[in-house]
Amino acid sequence: MQMREGMIPSISKEEIDEMVAGLAREIERDYEGKELVMICPLKGSVLFIADLCRKVKLSQIVDFVYVTSPKLESCRIIKDVSVDVQGKHVLIIEEIIDAGRTLSFLKARLMASHPASIKIVALLDKPARRELPINPDYVGRTIEDRFVVGYGMDSEEVGRNYKDIYNFAQ
Ligand code: IMP
Ligand code: MG
């Protein structure tokens, strides 16, 4: 496996599984009897949504969107959602929130299609990095301001396939 120098194990696969199971239980409780549209912003959230959607035992539609958020430019859509979210209960399934740019853009865009509700599920949250007022409605774990890789998250495309999450020494 290709590893980068200075990577420290941070969250194990077992801990990730527990976090995902906990989030699934909360979602099942809050959306009982409802149909969900789970939206996965590519690419980092792919493993998270794959695990979460299988644990949430509710009727659901899964869809994907690909938004880039380069630091100095505004967000750009590479692939838009393909499902009509009007009147639907939407959950955005994000693996990590950093500055909040991607979610701020995506949430506003989805809101324009008049969903019945829209909430954010984040596996990890780095509130110290926030630039825009976006907060997850469901969060697996709040972490300090360190770059993480693994479980879908990458450093220049390295690390997405790691089963555990690592961070970099400061
Ligand atoms: P934001 O728009 O700044 O909140 O960042 C959104 C996206 O940047 C996340 O969904 C990730 O895909 C990526 N990202 C932010 N922080 C990290 C990190 O620590 N490791 C890997 N990817 C990250
Ligand atoms: Mg992401």
Side-chain angles (χ1 to χ4, degrees):
M1 199 162 70
Q2 187 187 10
M3 299 288 276
R4 284 209 200 280
E5 215 174 299
M7 278 182 183
I8 303 168
S10 172
I11 308 175
S12 69
K13 174 64 183 149
E14 290 68 33
E15 289 175 281
I16 296 169
D17 285 346
E18 270 176 41
M19 278 155 56
V20 176
L23 290 167
R25 278 195 299 272
E26 284 185 64
I27 293 165
E28 280 177 350
R29 186 195 60 208
D30 293 354
Y31 290 87
E32 198 183 345
K34 299 193 169 110
E35 188 189 55
L36 283 171
V37 176
M38 293 206 207
I39 297 197
C40 169
L42 295 166
K43 300 189 267 187
S45 301
V46 164
L47 300 192
F48 179 36
I49 199 166
D51 286 341
L52 187 70
C53 76
R54 284 178 290 177
K55 287 200 167 84
V56 173
K57 303 278 189 283
L58 296 174
S59 75
Q60 56 184 267
I61 294 169
V62 171
D63 199 12
F64 299 88
V65 64
Y66 193 178
V67 176
T68 56
S69 53
K71 274 279 166 274
L72 297 168
E73 298 160 44
S74 52
C75 292
R76 196 162 65 92
I77 297 175
I78 309 288
K79 186 228 167 279
D80 210 345
V81 286
S82 46
V83 64
D84 181 8
V85 300
Q86 184 171 3
K88 302 277 173 56
H89 295 285
V90 174
L91 282 180
I92 305 176
I93 313 297
E94 180 68 294
E95 85 286 11
I96 186 165
I97 312 181
D98 190 73
R101 287 161 174 270
T102 316
L103 281 178
S104 188
F105 174 83
L106 191 56
K107 192 173 179 186
R109 194 174 161 84
L110 290 166
M111 288 288 278
S113 301
H114 308 291
S117 69
I118 182 161
K119 286 194 176 175
I120 295 168
V121 185
L123 182 71
L124 303 177
D125 187 17
K126 284 199 279 193
R129 300 264 308 168
R130 205 72 93 250
E131 290 170 16
L132 294 169
I134 275 285
N135 284 305
D137 299 283
Y138 302 91
V139 62
R141 188 179 290 187
T142 300
I143 60 167
E144 58 184 322
D145 179 11
R146 284 208 197 172
F147 199 79
V148 295
V149 295
Y151 195 62
M153 293 170 281
D154 72 306
S155 165
E156 290 163 349
E157 296 300 326
V158 172
R160 288 197 197 278
N161 58 329
Y162 303 166
K163 66 182 174 57
D164 306 299
I165 294 173
Y166 296 76
N167 62 31
F168 287 93
Q170 274 179 329

